[in-house]
């Protein structure tokens, strides 16, 4: 069996590729000339020069795939148009090619994001029946990608997964928070409690595999998390515990962080990379709750997370240290 993974050089995509190799699939991974292929080195996969925004480049791999895992996307960009080009139009192009050249594909798993649905209310996590209200450019572009997936569900066996914040080995955005605490600063944004859902990358990959294997998942949308809602204070406390170091709690007013974001965004104009903290990120950070319920995927597909936050943080910190990132 052949499986095609878009975004295979990235954090989640590389873990998906590894899991498929372990399952005995012949794995095709889309790569671009500029892709960092570090996490695919030594892995028994076939690299395919293709880009989800380039229709013709996708045809050879899409045509022979039994399963397609659409993990490719961008979380940061310097131009708004790039979010939509990759996250939205890239999905349209992929499914258009699949319908024309491989309409009998067994399953497509479209990995979206909680950001496509939007923040939640305190005490009421997001559910699949809630109308989406994405707030950021990233969230809106992911939602547009979902709309293409929903449109092509009429003709292709597509399942959409919406994870919240994903952490684990190879993750580089939440890494900043780990590094800050390693430097003895435990940062909290704002003076009110903020709530979030999380999932370890290996649990997310297990959910992705369940979605691919189950006929029940075709045409469905699922949130997937570790089943717990936490405050940022609890998350920070768990990281602190497993770093085995002292930290000094610092509460940063949202107004001050907004100024920092503006400066970072300005300086990023002179860098090839977008700023880690920008005005769009501040929209996310101001929200009181980013939570979701995975009750549906548990009930319908039998998903059960294996990673507690304690185990996930401990293993992630160990991996970061082995890589010299902490």
């Amino acid at each position: 069996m052949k499986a095609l993974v878009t975004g295979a050089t990235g954090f989640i995509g590389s873990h998906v590729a590894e899991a498929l190799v372990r399952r005995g699939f012949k794995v095709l991974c889309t790569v671009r000339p500029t892709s960092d292929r570090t996490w695919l080195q030594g892995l028994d996969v076939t690299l395919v020069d293709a880009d989800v925004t380039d229709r013709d480049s996708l045809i050879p791999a899409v045509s022979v795939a039994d399963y397609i895992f659409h993990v490719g996307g961008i979380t940061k960009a310097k131009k708004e148009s790039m979010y939509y080009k990759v996250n939205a139009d890239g999905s349209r192009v992929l499914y258009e090619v699949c319908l024309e050249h491989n309409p009998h594909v067994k399953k497509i798993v479209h990995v979206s994001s909680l950001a496509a649905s939007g923040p939640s209310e305190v005490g009421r996590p997001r559910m699949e029946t809630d109308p989406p209200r994405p707030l950021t450019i990233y969230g809106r572009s992911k939602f547009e990608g979902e709309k293409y997936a929903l449109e092509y569900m009429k003709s292709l066996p597509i399942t959409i997964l919406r994870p919240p914040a994903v952490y684990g080995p190879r993750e580089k955005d939440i890494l900043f928070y780990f590094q800050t605490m390693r430097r003895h600063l435990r940062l909290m944004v704002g003076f009110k409690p903020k709530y979030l859902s999380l999932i370890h990358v290996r649990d997310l990959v297990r959910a992705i595999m369940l979605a691919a294997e189950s006929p029940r998942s075709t045409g469905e949308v699922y949130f997937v998390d570790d089943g717990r809602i936490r405050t940022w204070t609890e998350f920070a406390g768990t990281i602190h515990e497993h770093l085995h170091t002292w930290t000094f709690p610092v509460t940063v007013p949202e107004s001050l962080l907004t100024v920092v974001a503006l400066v970072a965004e300005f300086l990023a104009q002179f860098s090839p990379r977008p700023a880690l903290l920008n005005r769009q990120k501040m929209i996310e950070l101001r929200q009181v709750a980013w939570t979701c319920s995975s009750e549906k995927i548990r009930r319908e597909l039998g998903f059960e997370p294996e990673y507690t936050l304690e185990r996930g943080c401990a293993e992630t910190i160990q991996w970061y240290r082995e890589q010299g990132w902490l």
Side-chain angles (χ1 to χ4, degrees):
M1 298 288 258
K2 294 181 180 179
L4 172 64
V5 183
T6 69
T9 59
F11 165 46
I12 297 172
S14 61
H15 283 280
V16 171
E18 280 186 358
L20 290 166
V21 169
R22 288 195 299 270
R23 281 171 160 75
F25 281 84
K26 181 176 180 180
V27 182
L28 310 175
C29 298
T30 62
V31 295
R32 293 170 297 141
T34 57
S35 298
D36 181 352
R37 308 175 189 193
T38 300
W39 309 127
L40 298 180
Q41 290 179 2
L43 199 59
D44 185 16
V45 298
T46 299
L47 304 183
V48 180
D49 291 323
D51 188 319
V52 292
T53 65
D54 181 348
R55 186 182 187 282
D56 291 342
S57 73
L58 290 171
I59 293 174
V62 169
S63 299
V64 300
D66 298 294
Y67 292 85
I68 296 175
F69 297 85
H70 183 31
V71 192
I74 56 172
T75 59
K76 296 185 294 295
K78 298 179 76 171
K79 294 183 178 180
E80 180 176 346
S81 60
M82 187 57 66
Y83 285 101
Y84 288 97
K85 180 179 181 181
V86 177
N87 296 341
D89 291 341
S91 298
R92 175 186 57 80
V93 170
L94 176 64
Y95 300 143
E96 187 178 89
V97 169
C98 189
L99 185 59
E100 292 179 10
H101 296 273
N102 191 1
H104 302 296
V105 64
K106 296 181 184 297
K107 181 63 71 68
I108 300 170
V109 180
H110 178 106
V111 180
S112 184
S113 168
L114 173 58
S117 182
S120 59
E121 299 174 10
V122 176
R124 190 187 182 282
R126 277 258 163 191
M127 302 183 70
E128 291 82 0
T129 52
D130 293 332
R133 55 180 190 95
L135 296 183
T136 62
I137 296 170
Y138 168 69
R140 291 192 292 272
S141 68
K142 292 296 283 186
F143 179 53
E144 290 299 315
E146 280 193 15
K147 289 201 289 188
Y148 285 121
L150 290 168
E151 177 184 339
Y152 279 90
M153 274 182 186
K154 301 169 187 174
S155 307
L156 295 169
I158 299 175
T159 302
I160 297 173
L161 293 187
R162 291 176 180 159
V166 185
Y167 72 102
R170 303 174 193 164
E171 204 288 324
K172 292 184 177 180
D173 288 345
I174 300 179
L175 165 66
F176 172 78
Y177 198 62
F178 285 77
Q179 291 173 328
T180 301
M181 293 185 67
R182 181 66 183 84
R183 296 182 178 94
H184 311 299
L185 292 178
R186 191 190 309 190
L187 300 180
M188 292 290 117
V189 178
F191 297 94
K192 296 180 180 179
K194 288 182 166 60
Y195 301 84
L196 77 161
S197 294
L198 291 161
I199 188 166
H200 189 277
V201 65
R202 292 196 178 97
D203 276 336
L204 174 57
V205 170
R206 288 180 53 251
I208 290 170
M209 297 303 147
L210 278 174
E213 295 164 357
S214 171
R216 177 71 179 83
S217 71
T218 300
E220 298 292 341
V221 178
Y222 297 102
F223 284 111
V224 54
D225 75 334
D226 68 3
R228 292 279 306 278
I229 292 174
R230 299 176 177 83
T231 64
W232 270 98
T233 302
E234 291 177 87
F235 184 33
T238 304
I239 297 172
H240 170 262
E241 177 184 351
H242 292 283
L243 278 173
H244 303 297
T245 187
W246 61 270
T247 58
F248 183 76
V250 177
T251 300
V252 183
E254 292 176 0
S255 57
L256 175 59
L257 204 57
T258 300
V259 173
V260 175
L262 286 168
V263 172
E265 199 169 329
F266 172 75
L267 293 175
Q269 296 181 72
F270 308 101
S271 168
R273 296 182 179 180
L276 179 62
L277 180 65
N278 53 37
R279 285 172 291 178
Q280 291 294 306
K281 192 65 178 178
M282 281 307 305
I283 294 174
E284 294 181 356
L285 292 174
R286 288 192 194 102
Q287 306 311 308
V288 177
W290 284 98
T291 63
C292 59
S293 169
S294 56
E295 191 275 333
K296 179 182 176 182
I297 195 171
R298 290 166 180 260
R299 181 182 70 250
E300 295 187 359
L301 304 188
F303 171 74
E304 289 295 337
E306 294 182 349
Y307 276 78
T308 63
L309 183 60
E310 291 72 18
R311 176 188 173 189
C313 281
E315 291 188 11
T316 300
I317 287 168
Q318 180 181 349
W319 188 90
Y320 283 157
R321 283 175 168 158
E322 289 171 353
Q323 299 300 312
W325 292 11
L326 276 182

